[in-house]
Amino acid sequence: MRKETRFYLRVLPLALLLGVSPTMWAKSQQDQTLATQQAEMTLTGVVMDQNNEPIIGATIMVVGTTNGTTTDIDGRYSLRGVPANGTIEVQYLGMKTQTIELNGKNVVNVFMEDETIGIEEVVVVGYGTQKKVNLTGAVSNVKIDEQLNSRSLANVSLALQGKIPGLSISQGSGMAGDKGMEILVRGMGTVNNSAPLIVVDGMPDVSLDRLNMEDIESISVLKDASSAAVYGSRAANGVILITTKSGKGSKPKINASASYTFGVPTHAWSFMTDYARSMTLHQRNKAINTLPENFQYKNGTIDEWLALSNINPFLYPSTDWYDVVLRNSAIQKYNVSASGGNDMSNFYVSVGVMDEDGMVMNNDYTQYNARINYEAKLTNNFTVGARFSGNWSKMQYGSDGQYSSIIDARQMRYAIAGITPYDPATGRYGGTMAYGENLQAFNPYSMYMNELNHKERQEANGSVYIDWKIVKGLTAHVDYTLNYYNDFVWNSDIPTDGYNFQTGLVTRPYVSSDAGVTNNTMIGYKTQFSGRLTYDFAIAQRHKFTVMAAYSQEYWHDRLQYTTSGDKIHSSLTDLDGTMKNPDLISIDGLTTTEGLASFIGRINYSAFDRYLLELTMRTDGSSKFLGQYRYSFFPSASAGWIFSEESWVRPWAGSWLSHGKLRASYGTLGNNSGVGEYEQQQLLTFAPYIINGQLSKGLVYEKMVNSNLTWEETSVFNVGLDLGFLNNRLTAELDYYDRLTTGMNRPFDMSIHLTGAYDTPRTNVGDLRNRGVEANVTWRDTHGDFSYTINANVSYNQTRLEKWNQYLGRNMADENSTANLLFLDMPYSYLYAYQSLGIAQTWSEIYKTTPQGAQPGDVLYQDLNGDGLISDEDMKAYPRVQTDRPTTNFALNSTFQWRGFDLALMFQGAAGRWAFYRTVNNQSTLDGEGRQAITEQQWNNTWSVENRDGGLPRIGSAASNKNSTFYLENLAYLRLKNLQIGYNLPDAWLKKIKMSQIRLYFSTDNLFTITGFSGLDPEKRDINDGYPLMRSFSFGINLEI
Amino acid sequence: MKNIISTIGCVALLASAVALTGCDSLLDQTSSSEVPASEFWKTEEDATYALMGAYQHVRGLFDRDYYFDGHGELLRVRSQGVLSTSPGNIVRGGAYSNGNYYPDPMWGYGKTFDAYYEMAYGGVNRTNYVIENVQKMIPNAATEESRKNLEAIVGEARLLRGMVYFRLITMWGDVPYFDKVVNDNSEVQYISRTPIAQVKDSILADFTYAFNTLPDKASEEGRAAKPAALAFRGKMKLYWASWKKNGWPELEGFQTNEAEAREYYASAAEDFSHVIDDYGLDLFRGGAPGQCGEPGDGETLPNYFYMFIPSTGNPGGAEGEFVFYFTHGGPGTGQGESLMRDFGGRSVGNSQNWVYPEYVLADRYQSTITGDYCEPLVQMNPNTNPDARTTPNSAVNPQSYANRDYR
C-alpha cells in the first residue's frame, strides 16, 4: 500500500498534467476502506508463474466485491477484509484467470499458467469482441508485442507486413514522412479506392501511418464478408481494427523506451562519374545517324575534360550525384507511457516522439504523439470512458513537383556528372559547362536545397463513451467521436541560377526570380455518433444467443484553401505577406466538401452445444452521395461454424492429438462508395462567365451530367475456412479459401460525341472484378524448460480477374486512371502483354533468318507470333496468370526463440507472381539525344558491340529494342530477411536493486539481405522509376519498466 | 446517484432516437461552391446567368473562324491543328483544336474537325438547357414585363442555337437535330441524321422566334438584338436559295428547285433590307448588298458580304456597328482571344505566329507609283538559292514589297 501511494504521488503530477482526474482514484481508495469494515481476515500470498518466478502486478479480487489489490515487486500481496469463505479471482494479462475458494485459508499462493494462446483468446470484431474459438468469419489477429515494437519502424503498416496471410503490404518509397504504404486485403478488390477501412477504437478513417505503435494493444483484420458486414458499405476492401492500450487489470507502471536506427539503401543505381566517357558514349550514340561534324559533343571537349578533370575537378567535375544527395538515414524514437487500473478505473497515458532523417538530403520528418485512455465505473453497472489522442508532425523534402517521387529515374537521368553541385566560396550552384551540353541539365543539389516543401499536420482525435448494463445480459453502449486535422503545406522556393564556373556566366534560372510562396491549408473533421444494444441470453442453457443492434451516423467536413502569390520581396521570406501580391501572380482556390452516412446494424450470434455456430449480420447504409432509390443499400451476410473436435464421436479417436477443429463458411455482401464524389449525383451549375460591356458577367452552365441510375459498387465474398489445433494446440493451422466478386465498379463512361462537348461524363457501373485465393497460417509453439519458441509460416495466393467491362476495351488498352495497368476481359487487372524476344542479334545471317523487322546486329529480335510476316502489336502475347503491378503470392516465416533473459526473432518475408518490364532510362540502350543524359555504368559496360557481345544490353541507340518484350521482362519475386532481432532482459535480481520491473536491451536489423533476380532498385517498390531507396536498417534500443 | 445515472442513460438513448430521425438532413449535403440546379431557375437573373453560360460556349464556336481562311489561297495556317488552342477548352479555342486548316493532300485536306463537331453539339446542349428551363418559367412570370424579358432570353438562346445548327449543316449537310435537354446518353447514342431541309426549317423557326422577341437594340454590349436575328435569317435563306438553285451533288437526295430558290432569294433580300434600313445601324459600307449584274446573267450577284464582315472601325465609331458580335475580355479575365498569339511574330510577347498571309496577297496590291498591278511575286527558297533574298520580285526579298498599296 505504501509503495502504491508513493507511486501515485509520482504519477499524480503526470496525470494532472494530462488531464486525468484524480478523484476517481480517491474514490477507489474509499471503497476499499468501506470494504475493510466488513473484514473478517487478511489474506496474503505470492503469485508466481510456471517457472516459480514472481508475477508483478497480478490482480487479486474478492469475487462479488470491489475489494482487490495487485502483487508487488516480489509477487506478494496482502488483502484485508476478505470473508473467510469467500472466493478470490487472480488475473494477469496473458495468463489463465484463476478462481480460488478460500475455505478459511488466509495464505494462498497462486501458480499461474500461460493462457493457451489462440483458443481462449478474445478477438476484437466490429462493434464488440468475440472469443476466437467462436469465430465463424475470416478474422486474423496480431498482438503488438515488444519484439514488433523493437523494430523501430517508421509506421504501423510496415509492422503488419508478413504477419497476416491475405494482407499484402507494400512500401512505395523510403521517404521520411511518406513511405507510400499500400495495404490490400485479399488483392485489389476494385479499380476505385481499394484500401481497407481502418478503425481505431471504434472510429473509422484514422491514418495508420500516424499512430504511435507503442499505444497499440492489438490489431484485427476482418477479411471476409461475414466479419466485415457490420461495416457494410465501408468494408468492401476489408477492415483493420485497432485497439489501443488501457490500464485494465494492470498494476501501476511506467514504461519508457528509446531506440536509435540508422539505415543504408538496400540497393542503389550506379551512375558513371567519368564525364569524358559519358560524352564519348553520347558520340557513339550520335554516330548511328549523324556526321561527326554534327556531333553534340566535339572531340576537343572530350579531350579537354579527360585532361583537366584530374587537375581541376572544380571546373571539370566528375560528380557522383548519389553520393552528393544521399546520406545514411537515421530514426530516433522515444516513448514514455504510464498505465494502471483497479476495479474502479483504469488509465493509459503516453507521449512519444519519432525523428527521422531520410536518405535523401533535406528530407526530414518528426512526429509527436500523445494519448490518454481513461475509463471509470460510476456504479456497478455504469462505466464511462474517454479517449484522446493527438499527433503533430513536420515534414520537409526537396522537390520541384515534376514527379510523384522526390528522386525519380526520369529526372535523375539529367543529372550529368559534368556539373559542379555548389561552390561555397561564391554561393553559386553549378550549371552546364561542357560545350554542346543542353542547358536544361539538372542539378539535384540545387533542387534539394532551394525547392523545399514543408508539410505540417496536426490531428486531435477524441471520444467519450458510456457503457450501461441495464439488466443481466443487456448492455447499452453510446459513444461520440470527433477527429480533427489541420494540414498545412507550404513552400517558398529560393530564386537560384545555374552557373557556369568556366565562363563565369549564368546558364539558366533553376528557380525563377519571381518565385513566390504557396500556402495550402486543409482543415477538416469527422464525427461519429453511435449507439448499440447487446443482449446475451441462453435458452435451455445450451443455446446461447447474442443479439446486437446498433445505429451509427458519420459526418465528414473537409475544407481546403490553396493560395499562391508570386514574386517575393526578399528571397529569404517564406510567408504570403512577404510577397509583392501582384494580382496577376496570385491564385486562390477554396472548397468545402461534406458527406453524411447513416447506418443501421444488426447481428445475431447463436451457438448450440458449444459446437454449432451461426452468425447473421446485416447493415443498411444511407449515403449523402446517392440520391433517390439508390440512397440506401442493404448488406447482409451469414456464416456458420462447426467445432467438430467437440463431437462425441470425434473425441475418442482424435482427442489425443486433435485439440481443436473447426470448419467455417460464410457468404455476404459489402459495398463501396468511395469512387463517387460528394456531390456527383446532384445537378450543379458551374461558373462560366461571359463578357458584357468589357466586364466579367456571371454565367452558369450545367456541365456534370448526372447518371440517375448510378448505384453502389458491391462486393460479395464467399469464404470457407478450417481451423485446426494439434497436440494441445502446440501446432495450430488456419486455412481459408475465398471467392470475392466486386460488381458494378463505377467509372466515368464513354459518351456520345453529341454530349461530350457540353457534359463531363458521369459515372456508371461498368465492371466486375473477381479475386480468388487461398491462405494458410501455420504456427508451432513449444516450451522446453527455459527455452520456448514459436515458428509461424503464412502464405497467401490471390488471383484477380476482370470479368465484365461495359465499355470498349482494345488491344494494349490501359486503365485510364493508372496508365501502366492493362485491362482486358478474363485477364488479371494489369496483366502482362509482351513481345517475344529472340535475344540480341549477333550476326546478319541471324537477322536474315527471322521475320524482317529492320534489325541490325545488336538489336533485340522479336518473334513473329502470328506468322503474318510483320512484327506488330499483334505479335504480343498475353499472360493470364501474371500481374505486372502486384505480386500474386505473399509469404512469410516468423520465428521467435526465448531462453532465460534472451530472445531472438527472425522474420523472412517474400512475394512472387509479379513480372514487369525493367526498362528505365538507366538501363535502356537508347540515350536522350539532347546532350543532357547521365550515363550509368551499365550503359557504358554492358551495351552490345562486336567486342562486347555478351554485355546483356542491346547496342547503343537501338530504339527498336525498347519494345515491351520478354527481353526486358524480369521476375520481381523475392525473399528477404525482413527482420533479425536479439534482445536481452536483465535478470530480476539486478532489477530489484535498482527498483525496476524490467529492462530490455535489443539490437534489430531490417532488410539485412534479399534474394531476388530483379535488377532494379527494390522488388518491393511499386514504381520502377521511383528512386527513393528502401532502407536496410540497424537499430539499438532499450525498454524500461518501473 | 444511481437514478441520475439511469436518467443520463435514458437521455443518451433518447438522443440516439433523435439522431435517427435527424438522419434525413445528414444525408442531404449540398455544395457550397457550385449552384444546385434545384435552387436555380427562380428569377430573371437566374435565367440571364444561364444565358451568359450559353453565350460563353457559343462564342467559342465562332471566335476563331479566321483559321478557316487557311483553306483559301491568301492565308497560311501553320501546323495541323494545335495552334494556340487548348483541346477541350471552349474558351481557349477548343472547338478549333486538331482541325486541318491547310489544304494539303498529305494532311487530308480539311479533315479532323471532330473537335468542332463535338463542341458545336456542346453549344446545342448549352442552348437547349437554357431554352427548356426558361420556357418553363414563362407561365409563372409575375408581370408582363418579366414575361417579355424571359421570352427575349429564350429568343437569344434560340438565336444562338440557330447559328450553331446553321454552322453544322454548312459543314456536314444532314446532321442529327435535337432541341431538348438530354438527360441520358441513351437518348442520343444512336441518333440518326435529320434531313437538311428539316433542320433548315427549325433554324428559321429559331431565328423567327428570336426576331419576334428580341429588343430593337441590344441592352448590353455583347448581346444580340432584332437585327442579328433578321440578318441570320436572311443569311440562312440566301444559303438555302443558293444550294437549291445550284444543287449539292455530294449530299444524297438533295434536289434543286428553281422556284423554291427564287422564293428564298426574295425572302432573303427582304430580311436584309430591313437590317440595312430599319434599325439605324452604322454598318461597314452601310451593309451594302454588293453589285448586281445583268439579270439572268448570274455573273455578279449581291452577296451581302459587307453586312457580315468585321468592321475596320471601332465599335461605336463611324461604320463601327455590327449586326452581332461576341465580346472577349482583357488580361486577367480568362476570357481573352488569341489574335495576338496567332498573328503576332515571335518577337511580340508570347506570340507564335500561327497564322500569316501568303505572299500572293501582295499581288493584289497596286503600285503606289503606277497605280497598276505589279508583276506577280516569285516564290524562291532561300535555303537552296543564296540569291533568293536579293533577286528582284522574289517573294522573300523585302524590296519586292516596296511601293505597294496595302489598303
Side-chain angles (χ1 to χ4, degrees):
Chain A
M1 204 68 192
R2 269 177 303 136
K3 211 165 240 172
E4 264 189 49
T5 318
R6 250 208 336 254
F7 178 83
Y8 289 141
L9 284 175
R10 274 187 283 164
V11 172
L12 203 62
L14 185 67
L16 275 173
L17 193 69
L18 295 169
V20 176
S21 158
T23 53
M24 282 304 146
W25 290 93
K27 184 169 165 23
S28 79
Q29 305 291 334
Q30 202 181 4
D31 280 359
Q32 284 180 9
T33 329
L34 283 172
T36 319
Q37 286 163 3
Q38 296 143 13
E40 286 172 27
M41 66 177 201
T42 301
L43 184 71
T44 56
V46 185
V47 179
M48 282 179 285
D49 65 11
Q50 286 147 305
N51 305 325
N52 290 330
E53 294 283 338
I55 294 174
I56 307 149
T59 318
I60 296 100
M61 296 288 302
V62 180
V63 175
T65 71
T66 55
N67 188 13
T69 186
T70 53
T71 53
D72 65 10
I73 197 154
D74 301 318
R76 290 180 193 287
Y77 70 93
S78 165
L79 190 58
R80 281 186 294 167
V82 183
N85 58 347
T87 309
I88 59 164
E89 202 174 71
V90 186
Q91 281 184 328
Y92 188 72
L93 207 65
M95 304 261 180
K96 270 187 184 162
T97 300
Q98 292 200 26
T99 313
I100 300 161
E101 287 181 26
L102 294 175
N103 296 330
K105 281 180 282 184
N106 62 0
V107 177
V108 174
N109 293 334
V110 186
F111 291 89
M112 303 287 280
E113 280 174 49
D114 281 344
E115 198 162 30
T116 324
I117 301 160
I119 297 303
E120 288 303 310
E121 205 179 329
V122 166
V123 173
V124 179
V125 296
Y127 300 97
T129 56
Q130 236 172 351
K131 273 190 180 168
K132 190 165 185 180
V133 67
N134 284 340
L135 284 177
T136 48
V139 179
S140 296
N141 189 260
V142 183
K143 285 259 182 285
I144 300 292
D145 56 14
E146 220 163 35
Q147 282 178 331
L148 213 46
N149 267 326
S150 300
R151 281 176 64 190
S152 302
L153 296 166
N155 65 49
V156 178
S157 317
L158 282 169
L160 290 174
Q161 204 173 30
K163 292 291 171 193
I164 291 176
L167 186 70
S168 98
I169 295 188
S170 68
Q171 184 181 355
S173 169
M175 190 166 162
D178 185 2
K179 299 272 183 258
M181 301 307 302
E182 187 197 65
I183 307 176
L184 288 179
V185 177
R186 293 181 161 179
M188 197 195 74
T190 168
V191 295
N192 292 311
N193 182 6
S194 57
L197 177 72
I198 314 274
V199 181
V200 176
D201 290 331
M203 178 59 158
D205 310 308
V206 177
S207 166
L208 210 50
D209 292 345
R210 305 182 64 83
L211 286 172
N212 183 354
M213 197 147 82
E214 304 251 359
D215 290 346
I216 299 175
E217 173 92 40
S218 74
I219 298 179
S220 295
V221 180
L222 314 180
K223 297 189 284 194
D224 71 336
S226 142
S227 57
V230 283
Y231 289 103
S233 71
R234 312 294 319 282
N237 298 303
V239 182
I240 296 179
L241 294 176
I242 292 174
T243 311
T244 58
K245 285 177 179 162
S246 72
K248 234 174 231 174
S250 136
K251 108 181 165 129
K253 61 179 182 186
I254 293 177
N255 286 72
S257 67
S259 70
Y260 178 80
T261 306
F262 73 93
V264 295
T266 52
H267 188 61
W269 290 322
S270 174
F271 281 89
M272 192 164 70
T273 54
D274 185 336
Y275 194 52
R277 280 214 173 92
S278 292
M279 288 190 280
T280 311
L281 200 70
H282 272 283
Q283 271 199 347
R284 273 171 53 196
N285 183 45
K286 276 274 177 187
I288 295 158
N289 55 9
T290 311
L291 293 171
E293 58 265 36
N294 294 334
F295 283 173
Q296 189 101 36
Y297 297 110
K298 310 296 175 198
N299 287 338
T301 314
I302 297 172
D303 293 346
E304 179 193 16
W305 216 278
L306 200 59
L308 293 172
S309 59
N310 283 331
I311 297 164
N312 192 344
F314 177 70
L315 294 183
Y316 298 90
S318 305
T319 307
D320 181 348
W321 282 110
Y322 275 72
D323 197 38
V324 172
V325 302
L326 291 192
R327 58 184 184 185
N328 283 347
S329 68
I331 302 175
Q332 297 175 62
K333 282 176 115 174
Y334 305 98
N335 274 285
V336 183
S337 68
S339 62
N342 59 17
D343 191 44
M344 289 309 294
S345 62
N346 65 74
F347 76 97
Y348 172 85
V349 295
S350 84
V351 288
V353 57
M354 182 187 77
D355 184 76
E356 183 179 3
D357 295 339
M359 230 169 272
V360 174
M361 59 182 282
N362 280 335
N363 172 212
D364 304 317
Y365 182 70
T366 312
Q367 181 178 312
Y368 300 90
N369 282 77
R371 175 175 293 275
I372 304 165
N373 288 348
Y374 181 74
E375 189 183 67
K377 263 188 180 168
L378 294 179
T379 68
N380 271 340
N381 58 0
F382 226 91
T383 308
V384 295
R387 295 193 189 94
F388 173 83
S389 72
N391 59 65
W392 180 77
S393 72
K394 217 174 158 175
M395 178 186 178
Q396 171 182 285
Y397 62 94
S399 168
D400 61 3
Q402 206 181 345
Y403 294 100
S404 58
S405 166
I406 71 168
I407 179 162
D408 191 284
R410 290 158 293 188
Q411 191 166 34
M412 286 306 283
R413 69 160 153 182
Y414 298 133
I416 53 176
I419 290 180
T420 303
Y422 180 65
D423 175 23
T426 58
R428 296 249 184 213
Y429 291 86
T432 49
M433 293 195 285
Y435 177 69
E437 244 164 33
N438 186 320
L439 294 180
Q440 297 293 319
F442 177 50
N443 179 338
Y445 185 75
S446 167
M447 185 176 85
Y448 294 125
M449 287 300 286
N450 299 313
E451 293 172 69
L452 291 181
N453 297 274
H454 307 263
K455 281 189 182 184
E456 291 164 25
R457 186 179 171 97
Q458 298 92 41
E459 286 183 1
N461 303 335
S463 69
V464 289
Y465 60 89
I466 306 167
D467 272 318
W468 180 23
K469 289 179 182 137
I470 303 166
V471 292
K472 188 176 181 298
L474 181 66
T475 53
H477 174 96
V478 179
D479 62 48
Y480 181 79
T481 314
L482 191 146
N483 288 1
Y484 167 86
Y485 70 86
N486 178 26
D487 199 302
F488 181 59
V489 180
W490 65 273
N491 64 51
S492 167
D493 294 352
I494 299 163
T496 328
D497 292 324
Y499 194 72
N500 184 337
F501 295 110
Q502 291 178 2
T503 60
L505 295 172
V506 166
T507 56
R508 71 165 171 114
Y510 288 141
V511 178
S512 72
S513 58
D514 66 352
V517 174
T518 296
N519 279 187
N520 292 347
T521 306
M522 282 152 283
I523 297 180
Y525 60 87
K526 191 205 154 181
T527 61
Q528 179 185 261
F529 172 82
S530 80
R532 67 172 185 260
L533 285 168
T534 313
Y535 188 41
D536 290 303
F537 61 97
I539 297 170
Q541 292 210 342
R542 304 189 144 220
H543 300 272
K544 291 174 192 155
F545 291 86
T546 304
V547 181
M548 189 274 289
Y551 169 73
S552 144
Q553 63 177 40
E554 292 165 76
Y555 176 71
W556 291 259
H557 182 103
D558 301 279
R559 189 165 70 84
L560 61 85
Q561 186 173 315
Y562 296 164
T563 313
T564 300
S565 176
D567 229 342
K568 285 190 283 186
I569 297 166
H570 186 269
S571 68
S572 66
L573 300 179
T574 57
D575 254 318
L576 288 169
D577 272 357
T579 64
M580 307 262 276
K581 297 187 186 173
N582 176 354
D584 287 346
L585 296 175
I586 288 179
S587 84
I588 302 173
D589 297 283
L591 185 67
T592 305
T593 49
T594 55
E595 185 190 341
L597 184 78
S599 316
F600 305 89
I601 304 144
R603 179 169 59 203
I604 300 166
N605 291 87
Y606 166 58
S607 102
F609 307 100
D610 286 331
R611 51 183 185 269
Y612 307 113
L613 309 164
L614 184 70
E615 182 176 291
L616 299 171
T617 311
M618 64 225 83
R619 169 153 159 159
T620 294
D621 274 319
S623 165
S624 64
K625 286 178 172 178
F626 292 99
L627 296 179
Q629 56 168 318
Y630 299 109
R631 170 157 280 178
Y632 288 93
S633 195
F634 178 62
F635 306 104
S637 83
S639 61
W642 173 37
I643 307 174
F644 54 82
S645 56
E646 298 294 311
E647 293 286 357
S648 53
W649 51 271
V650 174
R651 273 193 171 165
W653 58 274
S656 58
W657 49 273
L658 182 72
S659 30
H660 178 65
K662 179 170 70 176
L663 187 66
R664 53 190 160 76
S666 73
Y667 183 77
T669 310
L670 303 163
N672 186 5
N673 69 0
S674 61
V676 186
E678 279 82 1
Y679 311 115
E680 204 166 315
Q681 290 302 94
Q682 298 177 26
Q683 233 188 64
L684 295 175
L685 305 179
T686 312
F687 184 58
Y690 184 58
I691 296 286
I692 292 290
N693 296 330
Q695 299 294 317
L696 274 186
S697 169
K698 284 181 212 166
L700 290 165
V701 293
Y702 172 42
E703 69 177 17
K704 295 182 191 164
M705 181 175 278
V706 172
N707 172 11
S708 52
N709 292 320
L710 183 74
T711 179
W712 299 66
E713 189 172 300
E714 287 193 342
T715 301
S716 32
V717 192
F718 169 73
N719 191 92
V720 56
L722 188 63
D723 295 349
L724 297 168
F726 301 98
L727 309 171
N728 199 21
N729 284 320
R730 274 182 293 175
L731 177 67
T732 57
E734 289 146 38
L735 309 167
D736 275 282
Y737 164 82
Y738 60 89
D739 186 335
R740 178 168 164 228
L741 176 69
T742 304
T743 52
M745 291 190 296
N746 58 62
R747 270 297 170 80
F749 75 132
D750 300 337
M751 201 161 68
S752 165
I753 195 172
H754 299 108
L755 296 174
T756 47
Y759 299 111
D760 293 341
T761 52
R763 274 170 195 281
T764 186
N765 303 96
V766 291
D768 295 356
L769 187 74
R770 191 185 289 275
N771 279 277
R772 258 190 292 227
V774 286
E775 290 163 1
N777 194 21
V778 181
T779 309
W780 172 262
R781 286 190 186 83
D782 208 359
T783 305
H784 296 285
D786 286 345
F787 180 68
S788 65
Y789 64 100
T790 306
I791 296 169
N792 163 272
N794 65 67
V795 59
S796 62
Y797 170 78
N798 178 78
Q799 198 189 12
T800 144
R801 202 164 72 118
L802 188 71
E803 299 210 330
K804 198 173 126 193
W805 195 258
N806 289 346
Q807 295 197 59
Y808 175 71
L809 277 180
R811 181 195 307 287
N812 247 327
M813 215 165 110
D815 184 352
E816 62 197 44
N817 280 15
S818 50
T819 48
N821 300 322
L822 297 184
L823 279 184
F824 208 77
L825 284 190
D826 289 335
M827 295 296 274
Y829 179 81
S830 191
Y831 67 97
L832 175 65
Y833 197 43
Y835 285 97
Q836 302 297 299
S837 155
L838 298 170
I840 292 174
Q842 298 292 347
T843 59
W844 282 108
S845 69
E846 215 175 304
I847 290 164
Y848 297 147
K849 280 176 203 155
T850 53
T851 307
Q853 44 194 287
Q856 67 184 73
D859 284 346
V860 173
L861 287 177
Y862 302 107
Q863 195 185 342
D864 182 10
L865 213 59
N866 66 351
D868 65 351
L870 289 170
I871 300 297
S872 69
D873 64 353
E874 292 184 11
D875 295 310
M876 294 176 87
K877 183 176 164 186
Y879 293 74
R881 297 209 173 272
V882 179
Q883 288 169 212
T884 61
D885 63 335
R886 294 177 178 89
T888 54
T889 310
N890 286 284
F891 44 87
L893 185 77
N894 294 289
S895 56
T896 59
F897 305 91
Q898 260 136 0
W899 182 71
R900 303 220 166 136
F902 291 96
D903 57 83
L904 169 73
L906 272 171
M907 177 186 176
F908 289 92
Q909 184 260 336
R914 179 184 175 202
W915 291 71
F917 302 110
Y918 182 59
R919 181 171 55 77
T920 69
V921 284
N922 295 334
N923 71 332
Q924 66 192 21
S925 57
T926 46
L927 300 185
D928 182 296
E930 296 172 295
R932 52 164 174 162
Q933 180 164 352
I935 307 293
T936 56
E937 297 278 358
Q938 218 183 344
Q939 281 162 331
W940 175 257
N941 291 321
N942 298 355
T943 40
W944 187 93
S945 67
V946 180
E947 296 81 32
N948 186 18
R949 289 179 179 274
D950 303 319
L953 286 179
R955 69 179 168 87
I956 200 78
S958 170
S961 301
N962 284 348
K963 288 190 197 310
N964 282 343
S965 76
T966 51
F967 182 80
Y968 280 109
L969 190 66
E970 291 199 13
N971 186 348
L972 275 78
Y974 69 92
L975 175 70
R976 66 186 1 167
L977 179 57
K978 199 73 199 170
N979 179 246
L980 166 69
Q981 193 178 132
I982 301 161
Y984 179 58
N985 275 302
L986 296 190
D988 291 341
W990 301 4
L991 294 172
K992 271 180 200 161
K993 287 178 190 156
I994 48 170
K995 299 210 177 348
M996 302 281 263
S997 306
Q998 194 205 23
I999 295 179
R1000 179 172 183 264
L1001 301 167
Y1002 63 86
F1003 165 73
S1004 169
T1005 172
D1006 267 29
N1007 296 338
L1008 192 60
F1009 66 83
T1010 306
I1011 303 164
T1012 181
F1014 180 56
S1015 49
L1017 204 54
D1018 197 299
E1020 243 188 84
K1021 288 168 77 82
R1022 303 274 318 281
D1023 179 1
I1024 56 164
N1025 281 311
D1026 185 335
Y1028 208 121
L1030 300 193
M1031 194 164 69
R1032 172 180 301 147
S1033 67
F1034 305 92
S1035 307
F1036 305 90
I1038 180 166
N1039 296 340
L1040 306 172
E1041 188 179 304
I1042 304 168
Chain B
M1 181 70 178
K2 217 166 181 179
N3 279 338
I4 296 169
I5 289 163
S6 302
T7 318
I8 295 170
C10 291
V11 169
L13 284 178
L14 264 173
S16 334
V18 171
L20 273 171
T21 54
C23 87
D24 268 353
S25 61
L26 174 76
L27 298 185
D28 291 322
Q29 300 295 334
T30 49
S31 169
S32 53
S33 60
E34 290 180 302
V35 184
S38 54
E39 301 297 312
F40 203 65
W41 307 116
K42 301 261 196 277
T43 64
E44 283 167 53
E45 280 78 30
D46 289 352
T48 312
Y49 296 155
L51 179 68
M52 291 299 118
Y55 260 107
Q56 191 218 48
H57 188 105
V58 175
R59 176 183 62 195
L61 299 172
F62 296 93
D63 64 352
R64 300 194 187 191
D65 277 357
Y66 50 82
Y67 291 151
F68 287 119
D69 286 346
H71 290 292
E73 58 180 359
L74 301 181
L75 197 73
R76 174 78 160 90
V77 179
R78 206 156 56 83
S79 126
Q80 36 182 332
V82 179
L83 304 157
S84 61
T85 64
S86 307
N89 184 338
I90 189 70
V91 180
R92 305 242 166 120
Y96 297 88
S97 189
N98 204 36
N100 276 327
Y101 300 97
Y102 182 56
D104 187 318
M106 276 179 64
W107 290 358
Y109 296 102
K111 72 168 187 180
T112 62
F113 281 93
D114 49 337
Y116 196 92
Y117 185 86
E118 181 184 21
M119 287 298 180
Y121 273 98
V124 169
N125 286 298
R126 292 268 182 269
T127 48
N128 279 345
Y129 190 71
V130 178
I131 295 163
E132 191 171 307
N133 283 292
V134 180
Q135 203 77 266
K136 283 184 209 155
M137 294 170 73
I138 292 175
N140 304 324
T143 61
E144 179 62 17
E145 194 194 340
S146 164
R147 189 182 60 81
K148 280 210 150 137
N149 198 3
L150 290 173
E151 278 176 354
I153 287 169
V154 174
E156 255 174 294
R158 288 187 69 170
L159 169 69
L160 296 176
R161 183 173 70 188
M163 287 166 65
V164 176
Y165 271 117
F166 191 7
R167 176 59 61 83
L168 278 167
I169 59 168
T170 311
M171 290 175 77
W172 286 282
D174 296 341
V175 292
Y177 187 90
F178 55 94
D179 57 2
K180 293 276 179 300
V181 174
V182 177
N183 291 309
D184 195 272
N185 185 44
S186 59
E187 295 171 41
V188 291
Q189 198 171 6
Y190 302 110
I191 195 169
S192 52
R193 290 171 181 246
T194 309
I196 191 168
Q198 216 170 308
V199 181
K200 175 257 311 173
D201 288 339
S202 301
I203 295 171
L204 287 176
D206 276 347
F207 289 151
T208 304
Y209 182 89
F211 170 68
N212 291 335
T213 54
L214 285 177
D216 286 354
K217 199 157 176 64
S219 53
E220 295 164 313
E221 189 194 346
R223 295 179 62 176
K226 267 193 188 354
L230 212 47
F232 273 102
R233 191 171 73 178
K235 192 175 178 179
M236 177 71 239
K237 287 171 179 169
L238 179 59
Y239 174 86
W240 189 250
S242 305
W243 288 115
K244 272 291 158 190
K245 177 169 175 285
N246 299 312
W248 194 338
E250 296 88 351
L251 197 59
E252 208 181 320
F254 190 89
Q255 279 159 357
T256 55
N257 185 330
E258 194 69 33
E260 193 182 342
R262 203 167 320 201
E263 188 189 318
Y264 273 92
Y265 275 129
S267 178
E270 167 86 16
D271 282 350
F272 288 140
S273 71
H274 289 302
V275 176
I276 297 164
D277 302 332
D278 295 1
Y279 298 96
L281 288 175
D282 189 5
L283 295 171
F284 179 60
R285 296 197 181 169
Q291 300 293 315
C292 188
E294 283 294 306
D297 173 22
E299 278 302 307
T300 316
L301 288 170
N303 57 15
Y304 297 92
F305 180 64
Y306 300 133
M307 182 176 286
F308 294 96
I309 208 168
S311 166
T312 51
N314 291 318
E319 294 195 338
E321 283 186 290
F322 303 80
V323 288
F324 181 37
Y325 57 95
F326 291 108
T327 43
H328 284 92
T333 59
Q335 302 292 312
E337 28 72 3
S338 290
L339 279 172
M340 189 174 94
R341 191 145 168 229
D342 279 334
F343 286 93
R346 275 301 203 187
S347 54
V348 186
N350 282 326
S351 300
Q352 293 171 324
N353 205 183
W354 291 111
V355 176
Y356 46 86
E358 295 272 10
Y359 71 95
V360 290
L361 185 66
D363 291 342
R364 297 194 162 200
Y365 301 161
Q366 287 142 297
S367 166
T368 52
I369 301 160
T370 64
D372 285 335
Y373 289 106
C374 306
E375 282 280 294
L377 296 172
V378 182
Q379 195 175 6
M380 295 178 105
N381 186 350
N383 290 333
T384 52
N385 184 348
D387 299 328
R389 296 196 189 278
T390 49
T391 309
N393 219 25
S394 160
V396 291
N397 181 0
Q399 288 306 312
S400 309
Y401 296 88
N403 303 325
R404 291 193 188 222
D405 187 354
Y406 55 84
R407 291 169 295 167

